[in-house]
Amino acid sequence: MNKQFSCAELNLLWSSLLIEELCRLGISVFAMAPGSRSGPLTVAVALSRTTQKFMHIDERALGFYALGQAKASGQPAVIITTSGSAVANLMPAVVEASLDHVPLIILSADRPAELYDTSANQTLDQVKFFGSHVRWFFDIPSPNSEVPLAMLLTTVDQAYQQATIPLNRGPVHLNCHFPQPLLPEPDFVLNPNQLTTEIQTWYKNTTPYTRIAKTISSNSDVEYRQIAQVLSKTARGLIVLGKLDKPLPELTTFIGKLSWPVFPDITSQYKQEGLSPHVITQYDLLLLSPQLSQQFKPEIILHIGERINSKRLGEYLSQLEVPYIKVQDTLARDDEFHKVTQRFTSISYFCEKLTPLILQAPNNVVVTKLAVLSTKISQEIELFAQRSLADSSFNEPSIAYQLSQMVPATHTFFIGNSMPIRNMQMYSNQRTPAPQVYVNRGASGIDGLLATACGCAAGSDNPTTAMLGDLSALHDLNSLMLLAKSKVPIILVIINNDGGSIFSFLPVAKWEELCVPYFTTPHGYKFQEFAKGFGLNYFAATSLQDFVDHYQQALGDKTSTVIECIVDRKEDLLQTKQIQAQISSLLQSLNLW
């Protein structure tokens, strides 16, 4: 640098360069929590004309909000926190982002290194704080005139590359040490002519300091020709679709050419009636029939996308001793049952490469049989829901089915963990076109789900429907503030069965005296007063018809609304067992095999 800057001026100068380079890389969303030590970073963002600024008081929810933003927008979001426990509160969101391959850039403010291990207030060791949960870490020293400013720019460029690198996207962490005084006087104005010639040249441009080419590694042409021959000769195969960001035209074409049955996860964006004649939407409940698993034994499994949610499908696949081909857009070892025998990267490239090499398959008899069974199951679920409407009963399978029928295709649809994702997987019957589905199934926790839904709404800029359980909603209660501040309407559907009903379906339920107090954990709360406290519209539904009416009204109101579905846990368990028994009986009576 040509000029000697004061400590406070250096803090703001370094922060301004960091933020400017992030903006030049195409990042616009900066999620910040209030704090003193992070003041230089916050002021740099506030003074920038190209940043979208978002403030929230709770770092844990802030992290999940940024996660949702990045999920829905496809671009990294930047999270800025002050030092100390503020950084620790980001850990759950960082873990989820790491496991779900969501790009986040964390800028944590820190005390200067000389205060480490001195009992200085709000000082803890933040170096490599997130451990292996981030793709890359760099500890930026306290601003000083001896360090070339180009170091800051190349560090930001490297962080961006590590966060967004094809096949291995995820969170990165830059830890920024700021000594006091933290900020100069408000009249401080940076004169670029006071910087080195190298930085002046960068300053006058609008491009990043380092331009990095991105390439996608792919398997060899020989492998593609070999696998095309194998797939063309296989009449009895199965395509499993795991989580995908969106339906891909090249994948749809490939599915039609291969003509195998397709089992789509709810997160694949392909669980839609009418999307393709090969898509078997109700495979999860089909697997209630032992006859199916005994008589439908594919010769090859082609698993496209990431993990699946269906436990029944997972158990079924784990028992098959056949070649298992995995195609995904990440380098993750996505192989829970250790079945993968061949792996390909880049779904789009795989489909585009193979489609012209595969011989056009004739109509597949297995697909026809499975499609008939799937349709029969859909009809049975619809009849079950109609009976619930008629007799004013209320149960989670009917809620899931009815909601899948009502969510507009123009909505973003966020599904919470525990029972909501399982019920939507089993009982939903989405029409084409269907809404874009988002979930937090990396670590599958119940924390931060409402904040993530709000982030997805902001990142997609679409009206949003979110479906959460009561414990998830209670866990993230302060994120009702995010719901109230949302620029697009969010309809929050809370299934309140007074505790964790998932435990009623698990082996621990046999321990009747222990299950309720130690696992189900009833709480006795209703959400009306919570919603009222945050100024939100609220409806309570005690029947399926109530729910339908309230949801339709919320759509018409076009304002953020909480709809609480008050469900009796024991009755719901009986109703769930009833619909599954009816479907099992139906499958046995049809005997198409």
Side-chain angles (χ1 to χ4, degrees):
M1 281 175 283
N2 299 327
K3 174 187 181 295
Q4 290 297 313
F5 292 91
S6 69
C7 170
E9 291 171 342
L10 276 173
N11 286 342
L12 186 54
L13 171 62
W14 280 38
S15 297
S16 298
L17 265 62
L18 286 172
I19 301 307
E20 173 62 22
E21 186 71 348
L22 287 167
C23 292
R24 293 187 183 196
L25 287 162
I27 294 174
S28 59
V29 175
F30 289 78
M32 302 175 288
S36 176
R37 191 62 56 164
S38 54
L41 292 168
T42 301
V43 169
V45 173
L47 293 177
S48 171
R49 297 179 180 179
T50 58
T51 55
Q52 295 180 35
K53 308 154 183 73
F54 181 82
M55 297 293 301
H56 190 53
I57 59 172
D58 173 13
E59 288 87 0
R60 183 192 59 81
L62 184 77
F64 280 106
Y65 179 89
L67 176 82
Q69 270 268 8
K71 278 177 183 280
S73 69
Q75 293 295 320
V78 176
I79 305 171
I80 294 175
T81 72
T82 194
S83 60
S85 62
V87 185
N89 274 283
L90 295 180
M91 180 64 86
V94 169
V95 168
E96 177 65 28
S98 179
L99 292 172
D100 204 22
H101 301 277
V102 179
L104 294 177
I105 297 176
I106 296 125
L107 298 181
S108 60
D110 199 355
R111 261 53 178 176
E114 60 267 23
L115 293 183
Y116 271 39
D117 201 24
T118 64
S119 298
N121 184 47
Q122 206 173 327
T123 303
L124 56 86
D125 186 354
Q126 295 176 194
V127 174
K128 296 188 176 181
F129 186 85
F130 300 109
S132 61
H133 299 300
V134 293
R135 301 292 185 267
W136 192 67
F137 168 82
F138 192 85
D139 198 38
I140 298 177
S142 294
N144 69 86
S145 58
E146 301 303 315
V147 177
L149 294 177
M151 180 276 293
L152 293 173
L153 305 179
T154 60
T155 297
V156 170
D157 296 336
Q158 178 69 6
Y160 180 86
Q161 183 194 28
Q162 294 293 329
T164 61
I165 190 168
L167 309 180
N168 197 35
R169 297 183 305 167
V172 297
H173 179 200
L174 302 180
N175 191 49
C176 307
H177 297 270
F178 292 118
Q180 290 184 325
L182 295 170
L183 287 166
E185 294 300 316
D187 58 1
F188 169 72
V189 178
L190 174 64
N191 181 354
N193 294 327
Q194 297 171 333
L195 307 177
T196 62
T197 302
E198 182 183 36
I199 300 301
Q200 286 182 43
T201 301
W202 167 84
Y203 204 93
K204 293 174 183 177
N205 295 324
T206 58
T207 56
Y209 187 86
T210 309
R211 289 181 286 278
I212 302 170
K214 294 183 178 181
T215 59
I216 297 178
S217 61
S218 61
N219 299 65
S220 68
D221 288 346
V222 173
E223 284 183 277
Y224 282 107
R225 287 195 296 271
Q226 289 174 343
I227 199 66
Q229 291 176 358
V230 172
L231 298 183
S232 296
K233 294 176 181 178
T234 304
R236 207 174 180 86
L238 173 64
I239 297 176
V240 173
L241 295 184
K243 186 172 82 68
L244 298 168
D245 291 335
K246 59 184 177 181
L248 301 169
E250 55 270 33
L251 174 56
T252 305
T253 301
F254 173 76
I255 287 170
K257 187 79 176 285
L258 194 56
S259 196
W260 289 1
V262 177
F263 287 4
D265 192 84
I266 184 69
T267 63
S268 72
Q269 321 302 333
Y270 274 80
K271 193 177 185 294
Q272 303 176 30
E273 293 284 352
L275 184 63
S276 166
H278 304 93
V279 171
I280 313 301
T281 57
Q282 300 299 348
Y283 67 88
D284 194 298
L285 293 171
L286 261 173
L287 291 169
L288 286 171
S289 169
Q291 192 178 19
L292 178 70
S293 57
Q294 292 166 6
Q295 298 194 16
F296 175 50
K297 294 188 175 179
E299 299 167 348
I300 294 178
I301 305 298
L302 179 56
H303 184 155
I304 300 175
E306 297 176 44
R307 286 195 309 178
I308 55 175
N309 285 290
S310 170
K311 183 177 181 180
R312 270 189 288 272
L313 179 57
E315 291 174 346
Y316 169 67
L317 296 175
S318 70
Q319 295 166 9
L320 298 174
E321 299 294 335
V322 297
Y324 199 115
I325 302 166
K326 188 72 167 59
V327 189
Q328 61 191 80
D329 286 334
T330 73
L331 291 175
R333 185 187 178 189
D334 188 357
D335 187 16
E336 178 182 357
F337 298 105
H338 306 288
K339 290 291 183 179
V340 175
T341 55
Q342 191 170 8
R343 192 182 296 275
F344 290 82
T345 55
S346 179
I347 296 168
S348 292
Y349 187 84
F350 178 86
C351 295
E352 291 171 351
K353 193 81 173 176
L354 277 186
T355 299
L357 299 176
I358 292 175
L359 301 177
Q360 180 68 53
N363 291 334
N364 193 314
V365 175
V366 174
V367 172
T368 302
K369 289 182 177 181
L370 291 173
V372 170
L373 293 171
S374 181
T375 300
K376 293 290 185 182
I377 291 174
S378 293
Q379 293 170 348
E380 192 69 24
I381 296 171
E382 183 178 3
L383 288 171
F384 181 78
Q386 287 175 352
R387 287 194 294 271
S388 295
L389 284 171
D391 62 17
S392 298
S393 62
F394 212 22
N395 54 78
E396 295 186 41
S398 293
I399 294 172
Y401 169 81
Q402 206 66 50
L403 187 57
S404 72
Q405 296 283 291
M406 295 190 298
V407 179
T410 54
H411 269 221
T412 291
F413 188 20
F414 184 86
I415 306 172
N417 287 325
S418 197
M419 289 309 296
I421 184 66
R422 288 166 171 81
N423 285 324
M424 291 304 301
Q425 177 67 54
M426 284 187 281
Y427 304 109
S428 67
N429 190 23
Q430 299 180 110
R431 303 298 184 187
T432 303
Q436 178 79 25
V437 172
Y438 293 101
V439 297
N440 277 2
R441 294 300 285 175
S444 299
I446 65 167
D447 50 341
L449 294 176
L450 179 51
T452 308
C454 293
C456 286
S460 65
D461 200 27
N462 291 331
T464 296
T465 295
M467 180 185 189
L468 304 183
D470 50 344
L471 294 186
S472 297
L474 286 170
H475 199 292
D476 203 17
L477 198 60
N478 64 1
S479 290
L480 287 173
M481 182 188 300
L482 301 175
L483 194 74
K485 294 196 298 183
S486 177
K487 294 180 181 179
V488 294
I490 300 174
I491 302 175
L492 172 61
V493 178
I494 300 175
I495 311 298
N496 189 349
N497 47 41
D498 195 25
S501 67
I502 190 172
F503 296 105
S504 300
F505 298 90
L506 299 178
V508 73
K510 297 175 182 177
W511 296 65
E512 294 184 23
E513 294 183 359
L514 300 180
C515 184
V516 171
Y518 292 101
F519 294 89
T520 305
T521 55
H523 49 79
Y525 292 114
K526 299 293 188 294
F527 287 83
Q528 181 173 5
E529 293 303 317
F530 299 137
K532 181 180 177 182
F534 286 95
L536 291 161
N537 279 7
Y538 170 87
F539 297 111
T542 57
S543 71
L544 189 58
Q545 188 63 59
D546 277 352
F547 173 58
V548 171
D549 293 342
H550 294 325
Y551 186 83
Q552 296 292 354
Q553 183 171 343
L555 285 177
D557 290 343
K558 297 181 180 180
T559 187
S560 291
T561 301
V562 175
I563 302 176
E564 181 177 10
C565 298
I566 302 169
V567 178
D568 183 272
R569 191 184 333 115
K570 292 182 179 179
E571 180 62 25
D572 176 68
L573 178 62
L574 293 174
Q575 293 285 325
T576 300
K577 289 181 176 179
Q578 178 184 328
I579 181 59
Q580 293 194 5
Q582 290 173 359
I583 290 171
S584 295
S585 177
L586 171 70
L587 293 173
Q588 188 173 1
S589 67
L590 290 173
N591 195 27
L592 287 184
W593 296 92

